Amino acid sequence: MSPIRQNLQAITATIVAAAQESGRPPDAVQLLAVSKTFGPEAVLEAVAAGQRAFGENYLQEGVDKIQAVQQALGDSGPALEWHFIGPIQSNKTRPIAEHFAWVHTVEREKIAQRLSEQRPAGLAPLQICLQVNISGEASKSGVAPQDVAALAHKVAALPNLTLRGLMAIPEPADDFDQQRAAFAQLRTVYDQLRADGLALDTLSMGMSADLRAAIVEGATIVRVGSAIFGARHYNKA
């Protein structure tokens, strides 16, 4: 069995256990395999092991990889779902709108407007998560929690987009209760938006180090990279 297949099985077992711990069905949590800095061959190995959703942080690398993987799989290959999870420059929105199904990192109305305008007519609406700076870190992207509602209503009204939920990368914490507390803050903002009439269904939160805490607090998408693909090499990024 290949290392990537073994790793996917181990992560899936962790997800199932955490979902059961929180009284949720395992299929309520989607595993997003973060394939940044790994080549098409690693993605194809994960596809062969049954993985279908992949996340990319770097735009040009992601677009090149999508095209290479699609070419390798051919028309008869399984349908894959590509998520853009990196920072978005306003002059780089068109390739994101053209090649990805999901975007997790919208934090400004201008970016959402450009994605809406540039989404090709033949494609399904782009699925959007707003990135929230839940820990208030100066080094982190994301809209402040108190500003999320205003942005959410504006994004929800745009054509060619479907607002699905929220994403966050909290400040790292080793303590399980501290991890839970940060994710609980995001869940509170999410619940407030739903109570305000927005039809949200997605909480994109949790990575390798805080996976269990995120799932216990209601994550519907967890983003896992190195625990699947191995140590990253950033010299090519």
Side-chain angles (χ1 to χ4, degrees):
M1 184 182 298
S2 74
I4 287 178
R5 182 181 291 271
Q6 286 182 317
N7 292 342
L8 280 168
Q9 289 183 355
I11 292 294
T12 299
T14 300
I15 291 172
V16 169
Q20 291 174 339
E21 176 184 352
S22 54
R24 303 172 63 202
D27 61 3
V29 185
Q30 180 185 30
L31 172 60
L32 184 64
V34 180
S35 43
K36 67 177 181 182
T37 79
F38 293 95
E41 64 283 351
V43 172
L44 291 168
E45 191 173 332
V47 171
Q51 181 63 25
R52 296 293 181 264
F54 296 89
E56 290 289 327
N57 292 65
Y58 307 122
L59 178 56
Q60 192 56 56
E61 177 194 334
V63 170
D64 290 346
K65 198 177 304 178
I66 290 169
Q67 293 172 337
V69 169
Q70 289 176 338
Q71 183 175 5
L73 292 174
D75 293 338
S76 60
L80 305 184
E81 188 176 83
W82 292 92
H83 297 230
F84 189 77
I85 60 174
I88 305 173
Q89 299 175 356
S90 59
N91 64 341
K92 300 289 180 65
T93 51
R94 186 176 297 278
I96 296 173
E98 292 175 343
H99 291 93
F100 290 85
W102 282 72
V103 180
H104 291 229
T105 46
V106 172
E107 59 174 342
R108 291 185 289 147
E109 183 182 3
K110 177 183 177 181
I111 294 296
Q113 288 176 333
R114 290 177 65 89
L115 291 171
S116 173
E117 292 165 1
Q118 295 168 346
R119 183 66 168 173
L123 296 181
L126 195 56
Q127 309 300 296
I128 300 294
C129 289
L130 303 182
Q131 182 171 358
V132 182
N133 190 345
I134 205 69
S135 301
E137 295 175 87
S139 61
K140 289 275 179 70
S141 300
V143 61
Q146 64 269 24
D147 298 327
V148 173
L151 178 60
H153 284 281
K154 291 174 181 176
V155 173
L158 291 171
N160 306 316
L161 305 180
T162 299
L163 180 62
R164 296 292 295 270
L166 306 178
M167 183 274 257
I169 307 171
E171 187 175 8
D174 294 327
D175 181 77
F176 179 72
D177 290 334
Q178 289 180 331
Q179 292 174 349
R180 282 194 63 176
F183 293 130
Q185 291 180 51
L186 188 68
R187 177 62 181 265
T188 296
V189 177
Y190 170 85
D191 288 341
Q192 290 170 345
L193 294 176
R194 283 171 53 88
D196 200 27
L198 291 173
L200 307 184
D201 61 5
T202 300
L203 276 171
S204 171
M205 59 187 195
M207 297 183 286
S208 299
D210 51 18
L211 194 66
R212 177 171 158 251
I215 292 172
V216 169
E217 287 298 334
T220 63
I221 296 177
V222 292
R223 309 179 306 273
V224 180
S226 56
I228 296 172
F229 295 106
R232 290 199 176 94
H233 303 287
Y234 285 95
N235 59 328
K236 59 179 271 187

